[in-house]
PDB file of all heavy atoms in Angstrom:
ATOM      1  N   SER A   1     178.536  23.634  97.751  1.00 92.00           N
ATOM      2  CA  SER A   1     179.139  22.496  97.194  1.00 92.00           C
ATOM      3  C   SER A   1     178.131  21.718  96.401  1.00 92.00           C
ATOM      4  O   SER A   1     177.125  21.268  97.038  1.00 92.00           O
ATOM      5  CB  SER A   1     179.814  21.627  98.253  1.00 92.00           C
ATOM      6  OG  SER A   1     180.371  20.430  97.743  1.00 92.00           O
ATOM      7  N   PHE A   2     178.329  21.551  95.104  1.00 88.00           N
ATOM      8  CA  PHE A   2     177.387  20.754  94.269  1.00 88.00           C
ATOM      9  C   PHE A   2     177.818  19.262  94.251  1.00 88.00           C
ATOM     10  O   PHE A   2     179.071  18.996  94.086  1.00 88.00           O
ATOM     11  CB  PHE A   2     177.279  21.210  92.876  1.00 88.00           C
ATOM     12  CG  PHE A   2     176.452  22.497  92.691  1.00 88.00           C
ATOM     13  CD1 PHE A   2     176.980  23.673  92.366  1.00 88.00           C
ATOM     14  CD2 PHE A   2     175.105  22.422  92.794  1.00 88.00           C
ATOM     15  CE1 PHE A   2     176.219  24.806  92.269  1.00 88.00           C
ATOM     16  CE2 PHE A   2     174.281  23.537  92.665  1.00 88.00           C
ATOM     17  CZ  PHE A   2     174.831  24.731  92.388  1.00 88.00           C
ATOM     18  N   ASN A   3     176.886  18.445  94.511  1.00 88.00           N
ATOM     19  CA  ASN A   3     177.113  16.938  94.394  1.00 88.00           C
ATOM     20  C   ASN A   3     176.406  16.438  93.125  1.00 88.00           C
ATOM     21  O   ASN A   3     175.205  16.370  93.133  1.00 88.00           O
ATOM     22  CB  ASN A   3     176.605  16.212  95.672  1.00 88.00           C
ATOM     23  CG  ASN A   3     176.839  14.761  95.603  1.00 88.00           C
ATOM     24  OD1 ASN A   3     177.329  14.289  94.634  1.00 88.00           O
ATOM     25  ND2 ASN A   3     176.395  14.051  96.633  1.00 88.00           N
ATOM     26  N   ILE A   4     177.148  16.241  92.127  1.00 83.00           N
ATOM     27  CA  ILE A   4     176.465  15.862  90.803  1.00 83.00           C
ATOM     28  C   ILE A   4     176.046  14.397  90.837  1.00 83.00           C
ATOM     29  O   ILE A   4     175.362  14.008  89.864  1.00 83.00           O
ATOM     30  CB  ILE A   4     177.437  16.085  89.625  1.00 83.00           C
ATOM     31  CG1 ILE A   4     178.675  15.231  89.760  1.00 83.00           C
ATOM     32  CG2 ILE A   4     177.805  17.556  89.536  1.00 83.00           C
ATOM     33  CD1 ILE A   4     179.512  15.322  88.453  1.00 83.00           C
ATOM     34  N   ALA A   5     176.301  13.642  91.789  1.00 84.00           N
ATOM     35  CA  ALA A   5     175.874  12.236  91.880  1.00 84.00           C
ATOM     36  C   ALA A   5     175.050  12.049  93.186  1.00 84.00           C
ATOM     37  O   ALA A   5     175.011  10.932  93.724  1.00 84.00           O
ATOM     38  CB  ALA A   5     177.008  11.329  91.807  1.00 84.00           C
ATOM     39  N   GLY A   6     174.325  13.059  93.542  1.00 81.00           N
ATOM     40  CA  GLY A   6     173.730  12.964  94.878  1.00 81.00           C
ATOM     41  C   GLY A   6     172.265  12.446  94.857  1.00 81.00           C
ATOM     42  O   GLY A   6     171.618  12.170  95.833  1.00 81.00           O
ATOM     43  N   THR A   7     171.652  12.239  93.638  1.00 87.00           N
ATOM     44  CA  THR A   7     170.307  11.834  93.531  1.00 87.00           C
ATOM     45  C   THR A   7     170.136  10.729  92.487  1.00 87.00           C
ATOM     46  O   THR A   7     170.998  10.552  91.654  1.00 87.00           O
ATOM     47  CB  THR A   7     169.381  12.937  93.122  1.00 87.00           C
ATOM     48  OG1 THR A   7     169.549  13.316  91.789  1.00 87.00           O
ATOM     49  CG2 THR A   7     169.571  14.206  93.999  1.00 87.00           C
ATOM     50  N   GLU A   8     169.026   9.937  92.543  1.00 89.00           N
ATOM     51  CA  GLU A   8     168.716   8.962  91.565  1.00 89.00           C
ATOM     52  C   GLU A   8     168.142   9.544  90.311  1.00 89.00           C
ATOM     53  O   GLU A   8     168.048   8.867  89.281  1.00 89.00           O
ATOM     54  CB  GLU A   8     167.723   7.933  92.178  1.00 89.00           C
ATOM     55  CG  GLU A   8     168.298   7.093  93.316  1.00 89.00           C
ATOM     56  CD  GLU A   8     167.328   6.106  93.744  1.00 89.00           C
ATOM     57  OE1 GLU A   8     166.044   6.291  93.416  1.00 89.00           O
ATOM     58  OE2 GLU A   8     167.656   5.190  94.460  1.00 89.00           O
ATOM     59  N   THR A   9     167.801  10.844  90.336  1.00 91.00           N
ATOM     60  CA  THR A   9     167.064  11.445  89.197  1.00 91.00           C
ATOM     61  C   THR A   9     168.034  12.251  88.236  1.00 91.00           C
ATOM     62  O   THR A   9     167.580  12.902  87.368  1.00 91.00           O
ATOM     63  CB  THR A   9     165.929  12.304  89.611  1.00 91.00           C
ATOM     64  OG1 THR A   9     166.513  13.408  90.475  1.00 91.00           O
ATOM     65  CG2 THR A   9     164.911  11.570  90.475  1.00 91.00           C
ATOM     66  N   TYR A  10     169.376  12.273  88.590  1.00 90.00           N
ATOM     67  CA  TYR A  10     170.332  13.000  87.845  1.00 90.00           C
ATOM     68  C   TYR A  10     170.274  14.496  88.086  1.00 90.00           C
ATOM     69  O   TYR A  10     170.954  15.293  87.438  1.00 90.00           O
ATOM     70  CB  TYR A  10     170.270  12.736  86.345  1.00 90.00           C
ATOM     71  CG  TYR A  10     170.343  11.243  86.016  1.00 90.00           C
ATOM     72  CD1 TYR A  10     169.151  10.494  85.666  1.00 90.00           C
ATOM     73  CD2 TYR A  10     171.555  10.523  86.110  1.00 90.00           C
ATOM     74  CE1 TYR A  10     169.286   9.118  85.483  1.00 90.00           C
ATOM     75  CE2 TYR A  10     171.610   9.209  85.903  1.00 90.00           C
ATOM     76  CZ  TYR A  10     170.488   8.484  85.573  1.00 90.00           C
ATOM     77  OH  TYR A  10     170.528   7.093  85.361  1.00 90.00           O
ATOM     78  N   ARG A  11     169.439  14.827  89.048  1.00 89.00           N
ATOM     79  CA  ARG A  11     169.487  16.278  89.552  1.00 89.00           C
ATOM     80  C   ARG A  11     170.790  16.409  90.309  1.00 89.00           C
ATOM     81  O   ARG A  11     171.285  15.455  90.840  1.00 89.00           O
ATOM     82  CB  ARG A  11     168.299  16.531  90.454  1.00 89.00           C
ATOM     83  CG  ARG A  11     166.971  16.603  89.800  1.00 89.00           C
ATOM     84  CD  ARG A  11     165.928  16.909  90.752  1.00 89.00           C
ATOM     85  NE  ARG A  11     164.614  17.257  90.177  1.00 89.00           N
ATOM     86  CZ  ARG A  11     163.558  17.655  90.880  1.00 89.00           C
ATOM     87  NH1 ARG A  11     163.616  17.682  92.181  1.00 89.00           N
ATOM     88  NH2 ARG A  11     162.454  17.955  90.302  1.00 89.00           N
ATOM     89  N   PHE A  12     171.269  17.659  90.421  1.00 90.00           N
ATOM     90  CA  PHE A  12     172.353  17.958  91.347  1.00 90.00           C
ATOM     91  C   PHE A  12     171.687  18.047  92.797  1.00 90.00           C
ATOM     92  O   PHE A  12     170.543  18.319  92.911  1.00 90.00           O
ATOM     93  CB  PHE A  12     172.968  19.206  91.073  1.00 90.00           C
ATOM     94  CG  PHE A  12     173.817  19.312  89.810  1.00 90.00           C
ATOM     95  CD1 PHE A  12     173.921  18.171  88.970  1.00 90.00           C
ATOM     96  CD2 PHE A  12     174.538  20.410  89.431  1.00 90.00           C
ATOM     97  CE1 PHE A  12     174.623  18.157  87.841  1.00 90.00           C
ATOM     98  CE2 PHE A  12     175.284  20.425  88.275  1.00 90.00           C
ATOM     99  CZ  PHE A  12     175.350  19.278  87.411  1.00 90.00           C
ATOM    100  N   SER A  13     172.528  17.874  93.777  1.00 91.00           N
ATOM    101  CA  SER A  13     172.173  18.309  95.143  1.00 91.00           C
ATOM    102  C   SER A  13     173.245  19.268  95.604  1.00 91.00           C
ATOM    103  O   SER A  13     174.396  19.233  95.099  1.00 91.00           O
ATOM    104  CB  SER A  13     172.002  17.074  96.053  1.00 91.00           C
ATOM    105  OG  SER A  13     173.284  16.413  96.216  1.00 91.00           O
ATOM    106  N   SER A  14     172.918  20.081  96.625  1.00 92.00           N
ATOM    107  CA  SER A  14     174.005  21.018  97.032  1.00 92.00           C
ATOM    108  C   SER A  14     173.921  21.158  98.560  1.00 92.00           C
ATOM    109  O   SER A  14     172.864  20.865  99.217  1.00 92.00           O
ATOM    110  CB  SER A  14     173.750  22.399  96.353  1.00 92.00           C
ATOM    111  OG  SER A  14     172.533  22.976  96.720  1.00 92.00           O
ATOM    112  N   SER A  15     174.930  21.693  99.166  1.00 92.00           N
ATOM    113  CA  SER A  15     175.065  21.928 100.576  1.00 92.00           C
ATOM    114  C   SER A  15     176.075  22.877 100.840  1.00 92.00           C
ATOM    115  O   SER A  15     176.678  23.526  99.964  1.00 92.00           O
ATOM    116  CB  SER A  15     175.318  20.541 101.282  1.00 92.00           C
ATOM    117  OG  SER A  15     176.599  20.021 100.792  1.00 92.00           O
ATOM    118  N   GLN A  16     176.427  23.068 102.143  1.00 91.00           N
ATOM    119  CA  GLN A  16     177.545  23.933 102.475  1.00 91.00           C
ATOM    120  C   GLN A  16     178.797  23.453 101.808  1.00 91.00           C
ATOM    121  O   GLN A  16     178.954  22.244 101.498  1.00 91.00           O
ATOM    122  CB  GLN A  16     177.771  23.885 104.033  1.00 91.00           C
ATOM    123  CG  GLN A  16     176.789  24.673 104.861  1.00 91.00           C
ATOM    124  CD  GLN A  16     177.238  24.781 106.330  1.00 91.00           C
ATOM    125  OE1 GLN A  16     177.972  23.916 106.760  1.00 91.00           O
ATOM    126  NE2 GLN A  16     176.656  25.715 107.042  1.00 91.00           N
ATOM    127  N   ASN A  17     179.735  24.391 101.669  1.00 89.00           N
ATOM    128  CA  ASN A  17     181.039  23.917 100.986  1.00 89.00           C
ATOM    129  C   ASN A  17     181.906  23.332 102.010  1.00 89.00           C
ATOM    130  O   ASN A  17     181.639  23.215 103.181  1.00 89.00           O
ATOM    131  CB  ASN A  17     181.632  25.147 100.207  1.00 89.00           C
ATOM    132  CG  ASN A  17     182.027  26.235 101.095  1.00 89.00           C
ATOM    133  OD1 ASN A  17     182.317  26.056 102.269  1.00 89.00           O
ATOM    134  ND2 ASN A  17     182.042  27.459 100.516  1.00 89.00           N
ATOM    135  N   ALA A  18     183.138  22.951 101.548  1.00 88.00           N
ATOM    136  CA  ALA A  18     184.133  22.265 102.376  1.00 88.00           C
ATOM    137  C   ALA A  18     184.619  23.160 103.526  1.00 88.00           C
ATOM    138  O   ALA A  18     185.222  22.617 104.502  1.00 88.00           O
ATOM    139  CB  ALA A  18     185.274  21.838 101.577  1.00 88.00           C
ATOM    140  N   PHE A  19     184.468  24.435 103.452  1.00 88.00           N
ATOM    141  CA  PHE A  19     184.876  25.341 104.525  1.00 88.00           C
ATOM    142  C   PHE A  19     183.827  25.738 105.461  1.00 88.00           C
ATOM    143  O   PHE A  19     183.990  26.687 106.294  1.00 88.00           O
ATOM    144  CB  PHE A  19     185.536  26.548 103.772  1.00 88.00           C
ATOM    145  CG  PHE A  19     186.572  26.179 102.852  1.00 88.00           C
ATOM    146  CD1 PHE A  19     186.326  26.230 101.494  1.00 88.00           C
ATOM    147  CD2 PHE A  19     187.854  25.832 103.272  1.00 88.00           C
ATOM    148  CE1 PHE A  19     187.288  25.834 100.625  1.00 88.00           C
ATOM    149  CE2 PHE A  19     188.862  25.439 102.301  1.00 88.00           C
ATOM    150  CZ  PHE A  19     188.587  25.456 101.035  1.00 88.00           C
ATOM    151  N   GLY A  20     182.630  25.118 105.332  1.00 89.00           N
ATOM    152  CA  GLY A  20     181.560  25.444 106.344  1.00 89.00           C
ATOM    153  C   GLY A  20     180.713  26.637 106.032  1.00 89.00           C
ATOM    154  O   GLY A  20     179.905  27.029 106.846  1.00 89.00           O
ATOM    155  N   SER A  21     180.904  27.251 104.863  1.00 91.00           N
ATOM    156  CA  SER A  21     180.069  28.384 104.536  1.00 91.00           C
ATOM    157  C   SER A  21     179.120  28.077 103.378  1.00 91.00           C
ATOM    158  O   SER A  21     179.177  26.988 102.806  1.00 91.00           O
ATOM    159  CB  SER A  21     180.971  29.554 104.097  1.00 91.00           C
ATOM    160  OG  SER A  21     181.723  29.180 102.960  1.00 91.00           O
ATOM    161  N   GLY A  22     178.129  28.955 103.149  1.00 91.00           N
ATOM    162  CA  GLY A  22     177.116  28.701 102.119  1.00 91.00           C
ATOM    163  C   GLY A  22     176.021  27.854 102.645  1.00 91.00           C
ATOM    164  O   GLY A  22     175.884  27.587 103.875  1.00 91.00           O
ATOM    165  N   LEU A  23     175.231  27.339 101.726  1.00 91.00           N
ATOM    166  CA  LEU A  23     174.038  26.529 102.066  1.00 91.00           C
ATOM    167  C   LEU A  23     173.578  25.812 100.867  1.00 91.00           C
ATOM    168  O   LEU A  23     174.235  25.844  99.803  1.00 91.00           O
ATOM    169  CB  LEU A  23     172.919  27.456 102.643  1.00 91.00           C
ATOM    170  CG  LEU A  23     172.186  28.340 101.609  1.00 91.00           C
ATOM    171  CD1 LEU A  23     170.904  28.825 102.181  1.00 91.00           C
ATOM    172  CD2 LEU A  23     173.015  29.548 101.174  1.00 91.00           C
ATOM    173  N   ASN A  24     172.451  25.135 100.971  1.00 92.00           N
ATOM    174  CA  ASN A  24     171.807  24.499  99.777  1.00 92.00           C
ATOM    175  C   ASN A  24     171.187  25.609  98.933  1.00 92.00           C
ATOM    176  O   ASN A  24     170.290  26.193  99.278  1.00 92.00           O
ATOM    177  CB  ASN A  24     170.692  23.565 100.290  1.00 92.00           C
ATOM    178  CG  ASN A  24     169.854  22.919  99.123  1.00 92.00           C
ATOM    179  OD1 ASN A  24     170.176  23.152  98.000  1.00 92.00           O
ATOM    180  ND2 ASN A  24     168.914  22.130  99.501  1.00 92.00           N
ATOM    181  N   LEU A  25     171.906  25.811  97.802  1.00 91.00           N
ATOM    182  CA  LEU A  25     171.443  26.952  96.875  1.00 91.00           C
ATOM    183  C   LEU A  25     170.353  26.463  95.932  1.00 91.00           C
ATOM    184  O   LEU A  25     170.057  27.266  95.033  1.00 91.00           O
ATOM    185  CB  LEU A  25     172.681  27.503  96.157  1.00 91.00           C
ATOM    186  CG  LEU A  25     173.699  28.309  96.939  1.00 91.00           C
ATOM    187  CD1 LEU A  25     174.775  28.827  96.025  1.00 91.00           C
ATOM    188  CD2 LEU A  25     172.982  29.480  97.574  1.00 91.00           C
ATOM    189  N   GLN A  26     169.812  25.297  96.040  1.00 89.00           N
ATOM    190  CA  GLN A  26     168.776  24.884  95.159  1.00 89.00           C
ATOM    191  C   GLN A  26     167.441  24.882  95.828  1.00 89.00           C
ATOM    192  O   GLN A  26     166.423  24.412  95.278  1.00 89.00           O
ATOM    193  CB  GLN A  26     169.106  23.438  94.694  1.00 89.00           C
ATOM    194  CG  GLN A  26     170.398  23.339  93.889  1.00 89.00           C
ATOM    195  CD  GLN A  26     170.757  21.925  93.606  1.00 89.00           C
ATOM    196  OE1 GLN A  26     171.217  21.238  94.524  1.00 89.00           O
ATOM    197  NE2 GLN A  26     170.566  21.494  92.349  1.00 89.00           N
ATOM    198  N   ASN A  27     167.335  25.495  97.008  1.00 88.00           N
ATOM    199  CA  ASN A  27     166.081  25.467  97.759  1.00 88.00           C
ATOM    200  C   ASN A  27     165.853  26.931  98.295  1.00 88.00           C
ATOM    201  O   ASN A  27     165.335  27.065  99.403  1.00 88.00           O
ATOM    202  CB  ASN A  27     166.049  24.480  98.823  1.00 88.00           C
ATOM    203  CG  ASN A  27     164.750  24.198  99.407  1.00 88.00           C
ATOM    204  OD1 ASN A  27     163.734  24.344  98.698  1.00 88.00           O
ATOM    205  ND2 ASN A  27     164.611  23.833 100.687  1.00 88.00           N
ATOM    206  N   ILE A  28     166.295  27.945  97.601  1.00 90.00           N
ATOM    207  CA  ILE A  28     166.136  29.286  98.039  1.00 90.00           C
ATOM    208  C   ILE A  28     164.728  29.785  97.842  1.00 90.00           C
ATOM    209  O   ILE A  28     164.261  29.858  96.624  1.00 90.00           O
ATOM    210  CB  ILE A  28     167.110  30.246  97.398  1.00 90.00           C
ATOM    211  CG1 ILE A  28     168.571  29.738  97.497  1.00 90.00           C
ATOM    212  CG2 ILE A  28     167.011  31.629  97.966  1.00 90.00           C
ATOM    213  CD1 ILE A  28     169.012  29.597  98.940  1.00 90.00           C
ATOM    214  N   PRO A  29     163.939  30.026  98.833  1.00 87.00           N
ATOM    215  CA  PRO A  29     162.506  30.420  98.651  1.00 87.00           C
ATOM    216  C   PRO A  29     162.325  31.780  98.095  1.00 87.00           C
ATOM    217  O   PRO A  29     163.079  32.714  98.423  1.00 87.00           O
ATOM    218  CB  PRO A  29     161.959  30.280 100.108  1.00 87.00           C
ATOM    219  CG  PRO A  29     163.140  30.512 100.974  1.00 87.00           C
ATOM    220  CD  PRO A  29     164.278  30.073 100.244  1.00 87.00           C
ATOM    221  N   ALA A  30     161.252  31.915  97.290  1.00 87.00           N
ATOM    222  CA  ALA A  30     160.866  33.242  96.743  1.00 87.00           C
ATOM    223  C   ALA A  30     159.917  33.956  97.659  1.00 87.00           C
ATOM    224  O   ALA A  30     159.532  35.108  97.372  1.00 87.00           O
ATOM    225  CB  ALA A  30     160.290  33.026  95.372  1.00 87.00           C
TER     226      ALA A  30
END
């Protein structure tokens, strides 16, 4: 779930979706 108003820097933030699946897809390590 992307939160387009989640930061002061106009970056998106992300987390699990409304159904409890997924994760923060912006911090996937290489």
